[in-house]
């Protein structure tokens, strides 16, 4: 069974936690179409991590060696605890013999490289031929690490792994980190654009729905006002038939807008008709039909003055007499000589 990568790490709490995050994120990466065409890989399908892949048995070492044989890359999680593990050092040494050093991806999570890298990772064995043709072997410090996940706390470390997981994914997928990052950024921007478009469409639909609902509410309210106005118009006609023309006029006015230029309610023809009937402006030309006629022997010199209570009114005649009348009946209540 072929593995895209083998994760080697010290079985300490923090190292285990980081190995799980890297494992999960590598296998969940969605590879852009252009990268798939370039590398032939649709995704990082299998990442080996001994705590998940193997059960404890007497053949554990054989199984790990077999997994290392079948792994294309070796990811080494490095912390100050890692150099203490002979197991991790042996995994690195064996992988170098089988696949070479160039397929090792060191990841540092704590400390400095000199304190966190196992010896097989920190020093590289070199062979040189001197001027006399003799071969000699020496050690040199290895190249820098592939990814730096050092952070002040667990939350920041988790965020950093999420943001920078493509540095590990790029070599495994056979592409450059910058290309993979750019394609992921382009895809993210497309998703954002699609999301923004969808949100805009939803906003328009929601706005249209709200407008439709508001129009329906307004329409229903106008219908209610029209029904009320027609009821008031019928009431005005009934009051007029009962001889109460004053209240018939007031009720008919209530059924009509206060300001025709900025109407607060619809204009209902029935209400206009009720008002015109109560006023009777067409019965005798431009004059109103009186409710009653007051007979008086002298000429009225001053216009009628109605009391604030509407219960009586008074007028002054040519003799200088002030006459007080009952508003309801039109009968004279008393007279006063205005000159005295």
């Amino acid at each position: 069974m072929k593995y895209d990568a083998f994760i080697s790490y010290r079985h300490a709490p923090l190292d285990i936690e980081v190995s799980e995050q890297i494992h999960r994120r590598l296998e969940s990466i969605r590879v852009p179409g252009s990268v798939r065409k370039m590398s032939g890989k649709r995704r990082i399908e299998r990442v080996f991590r001994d705590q998940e892949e193997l059960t404890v048995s007497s053949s554990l070492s054989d199984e790990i060696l077999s997994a290392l044989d079948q792994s294309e890359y070796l990811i080494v999680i490095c912390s100050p605890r890692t150099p203490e593990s002979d197991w991790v050092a042996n995994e690195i040494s064996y992988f170098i013999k089988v696949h070479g050093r160039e397929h090792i991806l060191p990841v540092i999570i704590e400390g400095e490289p000199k304190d966190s890298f196992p010896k097989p990772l920190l020093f590289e064995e070199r062979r040189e031929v001197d001027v006399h043709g003799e071969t000699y072997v020496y050690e040199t410090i290895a190249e820098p690490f592939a990814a730096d996940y050092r952070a002040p706390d667990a939350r920041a470390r988790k965020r950093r792994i999420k943001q920078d997981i493509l540095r590990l994914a790029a070599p495994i997928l056979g592409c450059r980190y910058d290309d993979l990052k750019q394609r992921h950024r382009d895809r993210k921007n497309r998703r954002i654009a699609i999301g923004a478009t969808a949100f805009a469409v939803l906003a328009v639909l929601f706005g249209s729905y709200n407008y439709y609902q508001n129009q329906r509410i307004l329409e229903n309210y106008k219908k209610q006002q029209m029904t009320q106005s027609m009821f008031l118009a019928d009431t005005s006609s009934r009051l007029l038939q009962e001889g109460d023309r004053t209240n018939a006029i007031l009720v008919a006015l209530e059924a009509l807008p206060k300001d025709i230029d900025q109407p607060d309610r619809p204009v209902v023809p029935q209400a206009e008709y009720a008002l015109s009937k109560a006023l009777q402006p067409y019965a005798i030309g431009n004059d109103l039909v009186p409710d009653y006629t007051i007979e008086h022997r002298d000429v009225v010199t001053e216009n009628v003055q109605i009391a604030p209570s509407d219960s009586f009114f008074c007028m002054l005649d040519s003799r200088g007499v002030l006459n007080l009348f009952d508003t309801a009946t039109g009968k004279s209540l008393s007279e006063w000589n205005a000159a005295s």
Side-chain angles (χ1 to χ4, degrees), residues 247-266:
N247 282 327
I249 294 171
L250 293 176
V251 170
L253 285 172
E254 192 67 27
L256 292 168
K258 300 295 185 293
D259 185 351
I260 197 63
D261 294 326
Q262 296 180 337
D264 57 343
R265 64 189 308 121

mmCIF file of all heavy atoms in Angstrom, residues 247-266:
data_model
loop_
_atom_site.group_PDB
_atom_site.id
_atom_site.type_symbol
_atom_site.label_atom_id
_atom_site.label_comp_id
_atom_site.label_asym_id
_atom_site.label_seq_id
_atom_site.Cartn_x
_atom_site.Cartn_y
_atom_site.Cartn_z
ATOM 1 N N ASN A 247 -74.369 66.712 12.692
ATOM 2 C CA ASN A 247 -73.537 65.517 12.913
ATOM 3 C C ASN A 247 -73.354 64.728 11.619
ATOM 4 O O ASN A 247 -72.331 64.064 11.426
ATOM 5 C CB ASN A 247 -74.147 64.627 13.990
ATOM 6 C CG ASN A 247 -73.877 65.157 15.386
ATOM 7 O OD1 ASN A 247 -72.820 65.745 15.622
ATOM 8 N ND2 ASN A 247 -74.821 64.982 16.294
ATOM 9 N N ALA A 248 -74.336 64.814 10.719
ATOM 10 C CA ALA A 248 -74.202 64.141 9.423
ATOM 11 C C ALA A 248 -73.026 64.734 8.649
ATOM 12 O O ALA A 248 -72.245 64.008 8.012
ATOM 13 C CB ALA A 248 -75.488 64.257 8.620
ATOM 14 N N ILE A 249 -72.900 66.072 8.734
ATOM 15 C CA ILE A 249 -71.774 66.738 8.069
ATOM 16 C C ILE A 249 -70.448 66.339 8.706
ATOM 17 O O ILE A 249 -69.466 66.002 8.019
ATOM 18 C CB ILE A 249 -71.953 68.271 8.124
ATOM 19 C CG1 ILE A 249 -73.159 68.695 7.290
ATOM 20 C CG2 ILE A 249 -70.690 68.981 7.642
ATOM 21 C CD1 ILE A 249 -73.534 70.157 7.456
ATOM 22 N N LEU A 250 -70.400 66.328 10.046
ATOM 23 C CA LEU A 250 -69.156 66.001 10.759
ATOM 24 C C LEU A 250 -68.711 64.558 10.481
ATOM 25 O O LEU A 250 -67.527 64.294 10.272
ATOM 26 C CB LEU A 250 -69.355 66.203 12.266
ATOM 27 C CG LEU A 250 -69.582 67.661 12.710
ATOM 28 C CD1 LEU A 250 -69.874 67.706 14.205
ATOM 29 C CD2 LEU A 250 -68.374 68.513 12.375
ATOM 30 N N VAL A 251 -69.673 63.644 10.455
ATOM 31 C CA VAL A 251 -69.340 62.238 10.197
ATOM 32 C C VAL A 251 -68.851 62.060 8.760
ATOM 33 O O VAL A 251 -67.892 61.329 8.496
ATOM 34 C CB VAL A 251 -70.547 61.329 10.492
ATOM 35 C CG1 VAL A 251 -70.281 59.907 10.006
ATOM 36 C CG2 VAL A 251 -70.861 61.328 11.976
ATOM 37 N N ALA A 252 -69.486 62.744 7.814
ATOM 38 C CA ALA A 252 -69.065 62.658 6.415
ATOM 39 C C ALA A 252 -67.657 63.225 6.235
ATOM 40 O O ALA A 252 -66.841 62.684 5.476
ATOM 41 C CB ALA A 252 -70.059 63.396 5.523
ATOM 42 N N LEU A 253 -67.345 64.315 6.959
ATOM 43 C CA LEU A 253 -66.001 64.888 6.900
ATOM 44 C C LEU A 253 -64.966 63.914 7.456
ATOM 45 O O LEU A 253 -63.831 63.833 6.963
ATOM 46 C CB LEU A 253 -65.960 66.207 7.684
ATOM 47 C CG LEU A 253 -66.610 67.417 7.011
ATOM 48 C CD1 LEU A 253 -66.669 68.598 7.979
ATOM 49 C CD2 LEU A 253 -65.830 67.815 5.754
ATOM 50 N N GLU A 254 -65.342 63.169 8.497
ATOM 51 C CA GLU A 254 -64.424 62.200 9.094
ATOM 52 C C GLU A 254 -64.063 61.090 8.117
ATOM 53 O O GLU A 254 -62.999 60.490 8.199
ATOM 54 C CB GLU A 254 -65.066 61.612 10.358
ATOM 55 C CG GLU A 254 -64.118 60.817 11.229
ATOM 56 C CD GLU A 254 -63.040 61.680 11.862
ATOM 57 O OE1 GLU A 254 -63.283 62.891 12.066
ATOM 58 O OE2 GLU A 254 -61.957 61.122 12.151
ATOM 59 N N ALA A 255 -64.952 60.827 7.159
ATOM 60 C CA ALA A 255 -64.724 59.763 6.175
ATOM 61 C C ALA A 255 -63.848 60.211 5.008
ATOM 62 O O ALA A 255 -63.481 59.384 4.166
ATOM 63 C CB ALA A 255 -66.065 59.257 5.640
ATOM 64 N N LEU A 256 -63.471 61.498 4.977
ATOM 65 C CA LEU A 256 -62.686 62.041 3.866
ATOM 66 C C LEU A 256 -61.302 62.484 4.352
ATOM 67 O O LEU A 256 -61.111 62.736 5.550
ATOM 68 C CB LEU A 256 -63.427 63.229 3.245
ATOM 69 C CG LEU A 256 -64.728 62.877 2.506
ATOM 70 C CD1 LEU A 256 -65.517 64.136 2.205
ATOM 71 C CD2 LEU A 256 -64.412 62.110 1.231
ATOM 72 N N PRO A 257 -60.313 62.597 3.439
ATOM 73 C CA PRO A 257 -58.965 63.029 3.835
ATOM 74 C C PRO A 257 -58.983 64.438 4.402
ATOM 75 O O PRO A 257 -59.771 65.282 3.971
ATOM 76 C CB PRO A 257 -58.173 62.977 2.527
ATOM 77 C CG PRO A 257 -58.953 62.088 1.632
ATOM 78 C CD PRO A 257 -60.384 62.254 2.003
ATOM 79 N N LYS A 258 -58.073 64.675 5.376
ATOM 80 C CA LYS A 258 -57.980 66.009 5.970
ATOM 81 C C LYS A 258 -57.332 66.984 4.993
ATOM 82 O O LYS A 258 -57.669 68.161 4.946
ATOM 83 C CB LYS A 258 -57.148 65.944 7.257
ATOM 84 C CG LYS A 258 -57.726 65.020 8.322
ATOM 85 C CD LYS A 258 -59.059 65.528 8.835
ATOM 86 C CE LYS A 258 -59.568 64.681 9.983
ATOM 87 N NZ LYS A 258 -59.919 63.295 9.573
ATOM 88 N N ASP A 259 -56.344 66.471 4.212
ATOM 89 C CA ASP A 259 -55.639 67.298 3.225
ATOM 90 C C ASP A 259 -55.665 66.555 1.895
ATOM 91 O O ASP A 259 -55.091 65.481 1.761
ATOM 92 C CB ASP A 259 -54.201 67.530 3.693
ATOM 93 C CG ASP A 259 -53.437 68.494 2.770
ATOM 94 O OD1 ASP A 259 -53.985 68.838 1.695
ATOM 95 O OD2 ASP A 259 -52.306 68.867 3.120
ATOM 96 N N ILE A 260 -56.325 67.127 0.915
ATOM 97 C CA ILE A 260 -56.479 66.447 -0.364
ATOM 98 C C ILE A 260 -55.162 66.326 -1.119
ATOM 99 O O ILE A 260 -54.966 65.423 -1.944
ATOM 100 C CB ILE A 260 -57.531 67.176 -1.245
ATOM 101 C CG1 ILE A 260 -57.989 66.252 -2.388
ATOM 102 C CG2 ILE A 260 -56.979 68.492 -1.739
ATOM 103 C CD1 ILE A 260 -58.689 65.003 -1.939
ATOM 104 N N ASP A 261 -54.194 67.252 -0.835
ATOM 105 C CA ASP A 261 -52.887 67.188 -1.491
ATOM 106 C C ASP A 261 -52.010 66.078 -0.912
ATOM 107 O O ASP A 261 -51.184 65.488 -1.618
ATOM 108 C CB ASP A 261 -52.172 68.537 -1.366
ATOM 109 C CG ASP A 261 -52.897 69.630 -2.130
ATOM 110 O OD1 ASP A 261 -53.481 69.319 -3.197
ATOM 111 O OD2 ASP A 261 -52.884 70.781 -1.657
ATOM 112 N N GLN A 262 -52.154 65.824 0.379
ATOM 113 C CA GLN A 262 -51.440 64.734 1.048
ATOM 114 C C GLN A 262 -52.451 63.895 1.828
ATOM 115 O O GLN A 262 -52.530 63.966 3.060
ATOM 116 C CB GLN A 262 -50.350 65.275 1.975
ATOM 117 C CG GLN A 262 -49.246 66.024 1.239
ATOM 118 C CD GLN A 262 -48.188 66.553 2.195
ATOM 119 O OE1 GLN A 262 -48.421 66.750 3.380
ATOM 120 N NE2 GLN A 262 -46.995 66.770 1.660
ATOM 121 N N PRO A 263 -53.234 63.111 1.110
ATOM 122 C CA PRO A 263 -54.335 62.385 1.754
ATOM 123 C C PRO A 263 -53.849 61.344 2.751
ATOM 124 O O PRO A 263 -52.907 60.615 2.483
ATOM 125 C CB PRO A 263 -55.060 61.728 0.571
ATOM 126 C CG PRO A 263 -54.046 61.649 -0.515
ATOM 127 C CD PRO A 263 -53.151 62.823 -0.340
ATOM 128 N N ASP A 264 -54.501 61.325 3.907
ATOM 129 C CA ASP A 264 -54.182 60.328 4.920
ATOM 130 C C ASP A 264 -55.076 59.098 4.810
ATOM 131 O O ASP A 264 -54.907 58.138 5.562
ATOM 132 C CB ASP A 264 -54.307 60.931 6.324
ATOM 133 C CG ASP A 264 -55.695 61.508 6.572
ATOM 134 O OD1 ASP A 264 -56.434 61.727 5.580
ATOM 135 O OD2 ASP A 264 -56.038 61.730 7.746
ATOM 136 N N ARG A 265 -56.015 59.129 3.860
ATOM 137 C CA ARG A 265 -56.900 57.996 3.619
ATOM 138 C C ARG A 265 -57.442 58.104 2.192
ATOM 139 O O ARG A 265 -57.424 59.188 1.599
ATOM 140 C CB ARG A 265 -58.042 57.965 4.636
ATOM 141 C CG ARG A 265 -58.967 59.155 4.538
ATOM 142 C CD ARG A 265 -59.972 59.208 5.694
ATOM 143 N NE ARG A 265 -60.678 57.968 5.850
ATOM 144 C CZ ARG A 265 -60.662 57.233 6.979
ATOM 145 N NH1 ARG A 265 -59.993 57.674 8.031
ATOM 146 N NH2 ARG A 265 -61.329 56.091 7.060
ATOM 147 N N PRO A 266 -57.918 57.007 1.613
ATOM 148 C CA PRO A 266 -58.442 57.062 0.242
ATOM 149 C C PRO A 266 -59.709 57.922 0.156
ATOM 150 O O PRO A 266 -60.463 58.048 1.127
ATOM 151 C CB PRO A 266 -58.762 55.589 -0.067
ATOM 152 C CG PRO A 266 -58.051 54.782 0.952
ATOM 153 C CD PRO A 266 -57.951 55.637 2.165
#
